[in-house]
Amino acid sequence: MDPFIRTPTPANPPDAQDAVHPLPVTGIILAGGAGRRMGGADKGWLDWQGKPLIERAIAILHGDCTDIVISANRNMDRYAQWGYRVVSDLQADFQGPLMGLAAGMHAATQAWVASIPVDSPCLPPDIVRRMWQAKGGHDLVVVRSADHWHAVICLCRRDLLADLQRYLDGGGRRAQGWFRDLSFAGLTLPADLLRNYNRPEDMT
């Protein structure tokens, strides 16, 4: 069963002509969380340096990705105004970012997908290309800091969806639980680039 998908008429997305030789990658923005530590706010629309976090996430992906999918569970029409496909989780109740990743992989058009959370605005703008260069012969690249895995910042072959779906169907929700038995490459970045903006005080 495919996730709910809206394919709107493009409405002023970043200029695709800015992209130089995009990779065969669908970028997935994970914006479907409950935002509990933000008082239930939809974090994609929180202001960061004068712009919503969703705008920053799009800017990070659009240069190196062939297309973009936004995974969201609220404000679907509002996200669709960016001109990209918007998908929602197949299961309700905000069951974690892997659900959003699976929905995005269902909708992906490319052989590879790259996912980033909407609340990590400090990611380098070439994060997708860095992961692409790090993959070697692996089907999955997972980003980490020196002491912590950031498992939903990843690049993987779209055909890993079947494996991910089996993990989810078995009740798995932790991102590290999914990839730990796969053959993967790690990409280490400074912790300050991987910071999540989870609380209101983080936005100041």
Side-chain angles (χ1 to χ4, degrees):
M1 177 179 177
D2 288 333
F4 177 79
I5 301 175
R6 298 189 185 190
T7 307
T9 301
N12 300 320
D15 188 354
Q17 293 181 349
D18 291 343
V20 178
H21 305 301
L23 299 167
V25 175
T26 293
I28 301 171
I29 299 172
L30 301 175
R36 294 183 180 90
R37 284 174 287 181
M38 282 286 188
D42 187 348
K43 285 196 284 187
W45 299 103
L46 296 179
D47 181 88
W48 184 78
Q49 297 187 356
K51 296 180 179 180
L53 284 170
I54 184 61
E55 183 171 346
R56 172 61 181 165
I58 290 170
I60 290 169
L61 292 181
H62 90 276
D64 288 326
C65 294
T66 297
D67 63 344
I68 292 174
V69 173
I70 299 172
S71 173
N73 291 308
R74 293 178 284 175
N75 298 310
M76 305 289 286
D77 290 335
R78 191 178 182 192
Y79 280 112
Q81 291 174 9
W82 288 98
Y84 299 106
R85 287 168 300 150
V86 182
V87 302
S88 60
D89 295 352
L90 289 174
Q91 297 185 31
D93 302 326
F94 303 101
Q95 296 191 30
L98 287 185
M99 284 289 182
L101 177 59
M105 291 172 77
H106 271 287
T109 65
Q110 301 299 305
W112 291 80
V113 300
S115 72
I116 64 170
V118 76
D119 61 356
S120 295
C122 297
L123 288 173
D126 63 345
I127 181 66
V128 175
R129 200 161 291 271
R130 292 193 198 192
M131 291 191 290
W132 184 263
Q133 293 168 348
K135 65 183 175 61
H138 297 279
D139 293 337
L140 172 67
V141 179
V142 183
V143 170
R144 63 170 299 159
S145 63
D147 57 2
H148 181 69
W149 289 100
H150 293 257
V152 294
I153 306 174
C154 67
L155 172 81
C156 70
R157 288 192 180 275
R158 184 179 180 272
D159 58 17
L160 285 180
L161 174 59
D163 184 271
L164 174 57
Q165 195 63 60
R166 282 192 296 271
Y167 177 72
L168 292 170
D169 291 345
R173 294 295 181 267
R174 294 185 68 250
Q176 292 185 38
W178 170 53
F179 76 78
R180 65 185 177 187
D181 294 328
L182 300 175
S183 174
F184 65 92
L187 173 64
T188 302
L189 294 177
D192 60 328
L193 298 182
L194 303 174
R195 180 184 176 192
N196 292 114
Y197 285 64
N198 288 320
R199 298 174 176 85
E201 57 267 29
D202 296 334
M203 307 302 294
T204 60

